[in-house]
Amino acid sequence: MDTRISTSRGLQGAVIVPGDKSISHRALMISALADGTSEIHGLLDAADPGSTLHCLRKLGVDVEKVDTALRVKGRGLHGLRAPMNVLDAGNSGTTIRLLTGILAGQPFPSTITGDESLRQRPMKRIIEPLSLMGARIEGTASQTAPLKVNGTFPLRAINHRMHISSAQVKSAILFAGLFADGTTRVSELVPTRDHTERMLGLTRVKSADSYAVEVIGGTGIQPQQFQVPGDISSAAFLIAAALLVPQSELRILNVGLNPTRTRILDFFRSVGGSVEIIRETTVAGEPIGDLLVKSSLLQGGIELQGKQVAELIDEIPVLAVTLALSGCSLTVHGASDLRNKESDRIRSLVLNLRKLGLDVEEYADGFAFQGKNTLLPAECDSFEDHRIAMAFGVAGLVLKGETVIKQSECVDISFPSFWHLLSSIERR
Ligand code: S3P
């Protein structure tokens, strides 16, 4: 499907963004392992959490919809059933990596795979630590999916220092740690999103040079009432749109404001963006709030190195488009892992920005440009990557003329209502 976007006259209203993708995956997995029935409210109803749900059902977990909530009958740490066939994680890196952590501690073998894009993404990062814990995981020759997981119980507890910044890897090890014979410790140099540790109630330890978290093997999980906040990574597209389009004033309600996710707000503000938090509370251990965003004159520039990249990993496409269109500069280094996302996001960004008429330098680990406010509409490829499609959809609201986003249905991965929502907030 192609989506055509025309220049906007202003965005207004109050919107709710879909549930947080990271928290949705974790709520499903934690509920599946709990000793009793959990309820999940506000679960993201999109393809990625759908993949997690599908895999959990194949592992014997009963899930039913009750009104707007999902009721998940947990099977306890030791109650998952051997799947009859291959588990399909679809397009979802979080599903395959976190679930492999759980499968590693099961007394049965299983195989997990995904779509063409997922089958190209690196899995060595989880194969290595989970193998140190005693699981035998076989991928392809290039250490990609399908992964044959020969689980072992109990696994060996490890003290693991992460050499890449990845919440998915950290979480895979923490989930595996539930099935280990002692205390597993994971430390990271830059604190990545900490939803797994919050939702499992794990102990965090800060040392001089790292952030660590520990999980004690065998600790049972109590069933919970999960309330999933709106996804700030999805909200980021609407924030960018309201900042860029003149005559805009948008309220975005119930957005998750976990400090490991909010760096994007600091960066928008650092170039003059008006983004205010107008009400903040804590729900189910996660800070949430309403945002008020007004069109702003953006100016200046941003330089990102590895540390900031890790704190902003999913927002770089939308930040890049925002800065490119408002004449700001951006230099990104230390971001080679962006090449391992749903698409090679460095390549996707560089190619699409060049199509709009921008000079962009591409590096192995990043890119750089000086933005211009004279860019022109073009036909942009989504590279079947939801965040690339939405980032250039935002660009289309500002460019003078009609912008086309190819294969725009890929927004279904995290934000199925995105195109509809954009047109519903258009000032009439
Ligand atoms: C996620 C972690 C990040 C992020 C992804 C979701 C998670 O991936 O890009 O969208 O839920 O843990 P990495 O761990 O590969 O950086």
Side-chain angles (χ1 to χ4, degrees):
M1 178 178 104
D2 290 354
T3 294
R4 293 169 188 279
I5 313 274
S6 314
T7 323
S8 168
R9 278 173 284 134
L11 303 172
Q12 62 177 10
V15 294
I16 295 181
V17 288
D20 188 280
K21 180 159 82 68
S22 295
I23 296 179
S24 294
H25 285 294
R26 288 158 174 81
L28 287 166
M29 292 185 201
I30 293 171
S31 299
L33 297 176
D35 294 313
T37 300
S38 295
E39 266 187 13
I40 311 176
H41 299 264
L43 186 89
L44 169 62
D45 185 7
D48 260 17
S51 295
T52 291
L53 184 56
H54 172 80
C55 292
L56 291 174
R57 282 193 163 125
K58 293 211 160 172
L59 290 163
V61 182
D62 270 350
V63 183
E64 57 170 348
K65 203 160 183 208
V66 179
D67 300 325
T68 54
L70 270 201
R71 200 170 277 168
V72 183
K73 278 197 199 142
R75 296 186 65 95
L77 282 185
H78 304 293
L80 295 181
R81 229 173 36 208
M84 307 281 278
N85 19 47
V86 173
L87 300 169
D88 184 1
N91 190 247
S92 173
T94 312
T95 305
I96 196 168
R97 295 201 177 110
L98 272 57
L99 211 50
T100 300
I102 294 174
L103 295 172
Q106 302 306 312
F108 52 76
S110 51
T111 301
I112 185 161
T113 190
D115 70 7
E116 207 188 321
S117 147
L118 190 60
R119 291 199 308 274
Q120 287 168 30
R121 295 177 65 182
M123 294 299 149
K124 185 170 172 217
R125 56 187 64 195
I126 54 165
I127 296 176
E128 272 183 359
L130 296 175
S131 301
L132 286 175
M133 297 179 83
R136 279 182 301 118
I137 304 178
E138 263 172 67
T140 64
S142 48
Q143 307 258 53
T144 51
L147 302 179
K148 276 193 201 154
V149 187
N150 287 296
T152 312
F153 179 79
L155 291 167
R156 251 189 319 274
I158 56 169
N159 185 342
H160 188 75
R161 236 182 136 80
M162 305 248 302
H163 48 84
I164 55 167
S165 289
S166 166
Q168 291 177 351
V169 175
K170 173 176 64 174
S171 301
I173 301 169
L174 293 175
F175 274 121
L178 290 169
F179 302 94
D181 58 1
T183 301
T184 293
R185 183 184 175 114
V186 189
S187 46
E188 52 186 353
L189 292 173
V190 180
T192 59
R193 67 193 68 194
D194 62 359
H195 306 299
T196 307
E197 26 291 51
R198 283 179 190 243
M199 295 169 80
L200 286 173
L202 304 180
T203 314
R204 271 169 289 173
V205 205
K206 163 107 183 75
S207 69
D209 67 338
S210 69
Y211 298 80
V213 55
E214 291 181 347
V215 56
I216 302 171
T219 311
I221 300 174
Q222 291 305 307
Q224 298 177 45
Q225 292 280 328
F226 290 104
Q227 188 70 54
V228 181
D231 195 324
I232 189 163
S233 302
S234 297
F237 298 102
L238 301 174
I239 298 171
L243 292 176
L244 285 169
V245 175
Q247 311 290 335
S248 297
E249 182 166 324
L250 198 62
R251 279 167 201 267
I252 311 174
L253 312 178
N254 286 336
V255 181
L257 295 174
N258 177 312
T260 59
R261 304 285 300 281
T262 51
R263 286 290 279 152
I264 183 64
L265 303 184
D266 303 333
F267 282 108
F268 279 141
R269 288 178 186 132
S270 76
V271 288
S274 169
V275 188
E276 257 179 88
I277 297 173
I278 46 179
R279 185 187 60 88
E280 201 174 346
T281 52
T282 301
V283 175
E286 290 278 349
I288 64 162
D290 295 344
L291 303 178
L292 175 63
V293 190
K294 295 182 187 163
S295 344
S296 308
L297 180 67
L298 303 181
Q299 44 196 348
I302 291 178
E303 281 186 27
L304 301 177
Q305 302 289 338
K307 178 179 185 307
Q308 293 97 341
V309 168
E311 296 169 328
L312 203 61
I313 191 74
D314 289 337
E315 288 74 56
I316 290 178
V318 71
L319 183 65
V321 164
T322 308
L323 299 177
L325 268 89
S326 51
C328 299
S329 64
L330 175 63
T331 304
V332 180
H333 280 295
S336 50
D337 213 27
L338 276 185
R339 296 198 183 272
N340 298 319
K341 294 291 176 185
E342 287 84 330
S343 71
D344 171 345
R345 286 193 178 148
I346 294 179
R347 204 80 265 272
S348 310
L349 279 168
V350 167
L351 291 177
N352 276 344
L353 288 170
R354 285 184 184 153
K355 278 192 175 176
L356 305 182
L358 193 68
D359 287 334
V360 189
E361 273 193 70
E362 179 176 359
Y363 315 119
D365 69 340
F367 56 95
F369 60 72
Q370 170 62 56
K372 311 197 269 200
N373 27 35
T374 53
L375 297 179
L376 295 169
E379 197 173 88
C380 295
D381 203 325
S382 67
F383 299 92
E384 295 182 66
D385 179 338
H386 55 137
R387 300 199 201 280
I388 296 295
M390 293 188 273
F392 286 89
V394 169
L397 298 171
V398 187
L399 296 165
K400 300 280 171 278
E402 193 180 70
T403 302
V404 179
I405 311 295
K406 308 290 287 175
Q407 292 173 304
S408 56
E409 67 280 359
C410 60
V411 301
D412 288 354
I413 289 297
S414 64
F415 201 159
S417 58
F418 183 70
W419 303 117
H420 176 73
L421 198 143
L422 274 195
S423 54
S424 73
I425 54 177
E426 180 65 32
R427 195 182 279 280
R428 310 262 162 218

